[in-house]
Amino acid sequence: MNIDRIEFLSWMERLIERFDLINENISELEKKRGSVDGEELLDNQDILQMLKISSRSLQRYRSSGKLLYYTISGKIYYKLSDIHQFIRESFTARIPKI
């Protein structure tokens, strides 16, 4: 089966248009998926991976009030800005002794 160059370019152009459309749809879904008032929401797995802590440590931070969380339909979520604030508050700078 032989196709000429013009037909090939036409098919490639249609494929690229479809990929662009799929990319736009995925981008829109990602924006809607995890945000409230334009702020990204993260679940437990996201936080465990981000902070490299155990699930028990995460539970301790929630219970002690150090880490704010929100429950939506029985699932726990965290605002990204709250996580950044938690990190800032937990960070202690050490001054080297000379």
Side-chain angles (χ1 to χ4, degrees):
M1 176 176 161
N2 278 338
I3 58 172
D4 63 358
R5 179 177 165 74
I6 295 172
E7 187 176 353
F8 174 77
L9 292 175
S10 172
W11 275 97
M12 292 306 289
E13 187 174 321
R14 288 175 57 195
L15 280 172
I16 290 172
E17 288 173 4
R18 293 285 171 101
F19 283 132
D20 289 341
L21 182 62
I22 290 170
N23 188 31
E24 288 174 17
N25 290 338
I26 290 172
S27 296
E28 287 299 316
L29 285 174
E30 284 177 344
K31 288 178 188 174
K32 291 179 185 177
R33 176 188 70 95
S35 66
V36 169
D37 296 332
E39 187 164 2
E40 187 176 356
L41 291 179
L42 305 167
D43 65 6
N44 282 333
Q45 285 301 98
D46 296 329
I47 302 306
L48 294 175
Q49 290 175 354
M50 179 187 291
L51 299 179
K52 297 183 182 8
I53 59 173
S54 69
S55 57
R56 181 65 186 124
S57 293
L58 184 57
Q59 173 62 45
R60 232 183 348 263
Y61 293 141
R62 280 196 312 263
S63 298
S64 67
K66 291 181 180 180
L67 186 58
L68 295 175
Y69 66 95
Y70 307 88
T71 305
I72 302 172
S73 300
K75 189 168 179 184
I76 297 173
Y77 293 95
Y78 309 85
K79 286 184 180 178
L80 185 58
S81 63
D82 292 339
I83 300 302
H84 288 160
Q85 183 65 32
F86 170 75
I87 292 169
R88 279 191 294 276
E89 290 171 358
S90 300
F91 180 75
T92 56
R94 300 198 184 256
I95 300 172
K97 294 180 181 178
I98 299 177

